[in-house]
Amino acid sequence: MSPYDPSAFPPFAVTVDLVVLTVRSHALCALAVRRGEPPFQGRWALPGGFVRDDEDLSSAAARELVEETGLRAHDPDAPAQANGAHLEQLATYGDPKRDPRMRVVSVAHLALAPDLPAPRAGGDARSARWAPVEALLHQGGYGREDEQAAPLAFDHAQILADGVERARSKIEYSSLATAFCPPEFTVGELRRVYEAVWGVVLDPRNFHRKVTGTPGFLVPTGGTTTRQGGRPAQLFRAGGATLLNPPMLRPEV
Amino acid sequence: MSPYDPSAFPPFAVTVDLVVLTVRSHALCALAVRRGEPPFQGRWALPGGFVRDDEDLSSAAARELVEETGLRAHDPDAPAQANGAHLEQLATYGDPKRDPRMRVVSVAHLALAPDLPAPRAGGDARSARWAPVEALLHQGGYGREDEQAAPLAFDHAQILADGVERARSKIEYSSLATAFCPPEFTVGELRRVYEAVWGVVLDPRNFHRKVTGTPGFLVPTGGTTTRQGGRPAQLFRAGGATLLNPPMLRPEV
DNA sequence: GCTGTTTATCGTCAGGCAGACGACTATGAT
DNA sequence: ATCATAGTCGTCTGCCTGACGATAAACAGC
């Protein structure tokens, strides 16, 4: 068998779709764009686009991320955060019927970003917005009448759910939660990230003990801030550690 | 912009490649096939093939797995093991230069299988064999002169390394290690799986306490065996639990 | 200035779990 | 019978977590 006989394989279109997550006003939100054309015209979808002919998958994802948000993706091996987002491959979706018109395989990527001012419209002027993931995933069940009542286009609800689940589990055993924070942040801000992503309430004292006691997780910058009100809090940057051992435990139920 | 203008996207070939792992004689082994044609003719590679026009990615991976090993993949939602392997998507590799002849995107899958009698040659009579992952990954550094001295074809060394890393981390917090065992197995056999995959030695007493004390991990069948020598050991099947909480801890270093 | 509110931070205590390791059991091999 | 090999049950100690009390340092309003 010649697995590479150029006439022997069916042609596919390959796209990257992005699950871009952030934490806004105590809720986990995802970036959604409104489709301007069929199929699913007028419906919300995840941002994405075709992989170019000379482009790696991660490059295509980084390019789409810049186009949609202006965020530059970190090099995973680069120091801590500059002002970029964490970007990693999530999974690949290739059901033959996922796009009604042609065979499209989508390599979904997950991006975690700090709270951004506002999504900028894509170069093609599609509208874009941040929406709480709960609203994007549980549509139709609440009798809501607004524009978001329709489920996401294609299989994007599944992709989003997988991305959210990845984020939820990954902040347990890695320092990825800091990707949701600005370059300098307080322990309380980091705790609110965990609370928003997991949808739980954490004990501030035990959380503080845990994160400050894990070597390499946080490094104090020396500064303090009162932007959250109350007693001034120390500012930290993300330390070099990427894996938390032992992990942060997610409360049950 | 029309992301689906049929003339606006470059065509890709899409393949699935398989990282099939098993534990044989106390070593973690992977299935490798010898390439019969250029490029990389004569070199070892991971089994794989094209995704068909009407086929889902997971179906293609399951089909390749049957063709290469005769193993039927579990339905992830099916009961415990029948005589199949665990199969899950691993990651997707799409470097523009990963195949010298054309643009190929490969959706790699990870399969975990019990020790099999012997790999059966593919329908196209390629030769296939189990090889310790260390030998497949660390070629050239040991001055070995045998047929395996050449590194794997394409980017398959990277794919294999990623698959091994996935398996190593996933048996920490899931019951996946039982996928390496026959339908009925002893605690000692399961422990040898962990030892082979992690490349460590575990304390038999603490391991026994851990796995028998985790609800839903193992269910006794009532039988015993002495196939490992020594005192007869209880036989178990995999229980319904898929997530281990708290996880099995991998010894450091 | 005083008081109440908010958030941050430090401490204490009990329970659970893991690592280290002793002890005993039940087989087969010599 | 003795030994070697595995399996299984216990004990002890230290670490970590969850629950929660207490103190500190800011701001808002009176």
Side-chain angles (χ1 to χ4, degrees):
Chain A
M1 181 185 86
S2 170
Y4 292 96
D5 178 343
S7 65
F9 65 90
F12 288 69
V14 176
T15 61
V16 293
D17 285 324
L18 293 182
V19 177
V20 189
L21 300 179
T22 195
V23 174
R24 289 170 71 87
S25 57
H26 223 274
L28 182 63
C29 295
L31 186 61
V33 300
R34 194 197 283 276
R35 287 187 57 78
E37 60 194 59
F40 301 103
Q41 185 168 21
R43 292 265 283 279
W44 292 95
L46 299 177
F50 284 102
V51 178
R52 295 179 182 164
D53 199 31
D54 59 346
E55 196 178 43
D56 196 3
L57 301 175
S58 58
S59 311
R63 174 176 55 75
E64 292 288 340
L65 183 64
V66 172
E67 291 176 4
E68 301 287 347
T69 68
L71 276 173
R72 190 169 310 281
H74 291 308
D75 191 307
D77 304 318
Q81 48 226 81
N83 201 348
H86 170 84
L87 182 61
E88 66 179 45
Q89 194 186 106
L90 176 58
T92 300
Y93 300 81
D95 186 295
K97 295 188 166 54
R98 65 181 295 277
D99 188 305
R101 293 155 306 170
M102 56 192 292
R103 189 68 199 266
V104 178
V105 165
S106 175
V107 184
H109 285 68
L110 175 66
L112 308 184
D115 192 3
L116 299 173
R120 70 178 204 200
D124 49 357
R126 289 173 298 178
S127 62
R129 58 174 284 189
W130 295 106
V133 295
E134 296 307 316
L136 291 172
L137 290 174
H138 298 318
Q139 289 145 341
Y142 291 11
R144 294 186 56 188
E145 298 298 331
D146 65 57
E147 59 191 344
Q148 229 160 259
L152 290 173
F154 303 108
D155 52 1
H156 288 186
Q158 182 64 51
I159 298 176
L160 174 59
D162 292 348
V164 168
E165 184 47 42
R166 171 82 65 94
R168 283 184 175 147
S169 70
K170 207 152 181 181
I171 65 173
E172 288 186 42
Y173 57 89
S174 79
S175 61
L176 256 190
T178 59
F180 286 114
C181 295
E184 296 198 353
F185 53 89
T186 69
V187 173
E189 289 165 347
L190 183 62
R191 175 170 48 83
R192 277 172 218 108
V193 164
Y194 275 91
E195 291 180 335
V197 175
W198 283 344
V200 298
V201 174
L202 300 174
D203 184 285
R205 298 156 291 190
N206 293 336
F207 184 86
H208 189 279
R209 177 182 61 193
K210 173 69 176 173
V211 297
T212 57
T214 300
F217 191 6
L218 301 182
V219 296
T221 66
T224 62
T225 182
T226 61
R227 62 184 170 221
Q228 300 291 338
R231 171 176 166 180
Q234 274 190 84
L235 285 169
F236 295 87
R237 284 183 294 103
T242 58
L243 256 47
L244 303 186
N245 201 335
M248 182 84 59
L249 292 185
R250 174 162 26 168
E252 13 237 306
V253 187
Chain B
M1 180 184 85
S2 170
Y4 291 97
D5 178 346
S7 65
F9 66 89
F12 288 70
V14 176
T15 62
V16 291
D17 285 325
L18 293 182
V19 176
V20 189
L21 299 180
T22 195
V23 173
R24 290 170 72 87
S25 58
H26 223 275
L28 182 64
C29 294
L31 186 62
V33 300
R34 194 196 284 276
R35 287 185 57 78
E37 58 195 61
F40 302 102
Q41 185 167 21
R43 293 265 284 278
W44 292 94
L46 299 177
F50 285 101
V51 178
R52 294 179 183 163
D53 198 30
D54 59 346
E55 195 177 44
D56 196 5
L57 301 175
S58 57
S59 310
R63 174 176 54 77
E64 291 288 340
L65 183 64
V66 172
E67 290 176 5
E68 300 287 349
T69 68
L71 277 173
R72 190 169 310 281
H74 290 307
D75 191 308
D77 304 317
Q81 49 225 82
N83 201 348
H86 170 84
L87 182 62
E88 66 178 46
Q89 194 186 106
L90 176 59
T92 299
Y93 301 82
D95 187 295
K97 296 191 166 53
R98 66 180 294 278
D99 188 305
R101 291 156 306 170
M102 57 191 292
R103 188 69 198 265
V104 178
V105 164
S106 174
V107 184
H109 285 68
L110 175 66
L112 307 184
D115 193 2
L116 300 173
R120 70 178 203 201
D124 49 357
R126 288 172 300 177
S127 62
R129 58 174 284 191
W130 294 106
V133 296
E134 297 305 316
L136 291 172
L137 290 175
H138 298 318
Q139 289 145 340
Y142 291 11
R144 295 187 55 187
E145 299 297 330
D146 65 56
E147 58 189 347
Q148 227 161 259
L152 290 172
F154 304 107
D155 51 2
H156 288 186
Q158 181 65 52
I159 298 176
L160 174 59
D162 291 347
V164 168
E165 184 48 40
R166 170 83 65 96
R168 283 184 175 148
S169 70
K170 206 152 181 182
I171 65 174
E172 289 186 41
Y173 58 89
S174 79
S175 61
L176 258 189
T178 59
F180 286 115
C181 295
E184 295 198 353
F185 54 89
T186 69
V187 172
E189 290 165 346
L190 183 62
R191 176 169 47 83
R192 278 172 218 108
V193 165
Y194 275 92
E195 292 179 334
V197 175
W198 284 345
V200 298
V201 175
L202 300 175
D203 184 285
R205 298 156 291 188
N206 293 336
F207 184 87
H208 188 277
R209 178 183 60 191
K210 173 70 178 174
V211 297
T212 57
T214 300
F217 191 7
L218 301 181
V219 296
T221 67
T224 62
T225 182
T226 61
R227 62 183 170 221
Q228 300 291 337
R231 170 177 167 179
Q234 275 189 83
L235 284 169
F236 295 87
R237 285 183 294 102
T242 58
L243 255 46
L244 304 186
N245 200 338
M248 183 83 60
L249 292 185
R250 170 158 36 163
E252 13 237 305
V253 187

